[in-house]
Amino acid sequence: MLTMVDTQQADEQAAGGPATANAAQKRADKQAARLAKQIRAFASSHGGSAEGQLAHIGRGRTRIALVGANGEWGNLVADSYGAAEKAAEQAGLTLQDDFDGELAGKVRTGPYEWSRMAGLQLGGPANP
């Protein structure tokens, strides 16, 4: 019978050991700090604040969708959901559960986005 300690050691060995786990955690922490800095810069240059939403996008990655106070929007990508959550927390980002309703209503789009959304149907620029 395996105890909790035995199970933890077996999990660490399967994952490459504690040194590998520590290195992965350090990378995630470093990425979270970098993303938090980018989130703060986005908020600062787009009305002083921002809201966001986290979404899994595949292969373990997470999209951080950002909407500034002025309606401008952007995306960042984190290597893990945990790193994205930590970055949002460090940056003081208000997170929404979904990117619809109130949050989507704050997004401001311009002529470029409208022409790209309609694309060929309305005579907008063709996709390269």
Side-chain angles (χ1 to χ4, degrees):
M1 174 182 249
L2 291 176
T3 66
M4 181 74 104
V5 174
D6 294 333
T7 304
Q8 182 179 1
Q9 289 172 348
D11 289 344
E12 288 174 353
Q13 288 172 356
T20 303
N22 288 339
Q25 185 60 48
K26 285 181 183 178
R27 280 192 304 278
D29 290 347
K30 191 173 184 177
Q31 182 184 45
R34 186 177 71 251
L35 288 168
K37 183 178 178 181
Q38 291 173 315
I39 293 167
R40 285 190 297 272
F42 177 88
S44 176
S45 63
H46 293 290
S49 66
E51 293 180 60
Q53 189 261 340
L54 306 181
H56 293 284
I57 56 173
R59 295 186 184 231
R61 295 183 180 234
T62 300
R63 174 187 71 153
I64 307 169
L66 301 168
V67 179
N70 65 356
E72 294 291 321
W73 57 279
N75 290 299
L76 295 170
V77 176
D79 289 337
S80 70
Y81 195 86
E85 276 185 317
K86 190 169 189 174
E89 182 181 325
Q90 288 176 5
L93 183 67
T94 301
L95 291 176
Q96 303 297 329
D97 292 332
D98 297 304
F99 196 92
D100 61 3
E102 188 178 329
L103 184 60
K106 294 178 182 181
V107 173
R108 185 178 56 127
T109 56
Y112 173 78
E113 288 86 4
W114 280 102
S115 69
R116 295 302 294 167
M117 284 187 269
L120 299 174
Q121 292 86 353
L122 295 178
N127 289 328

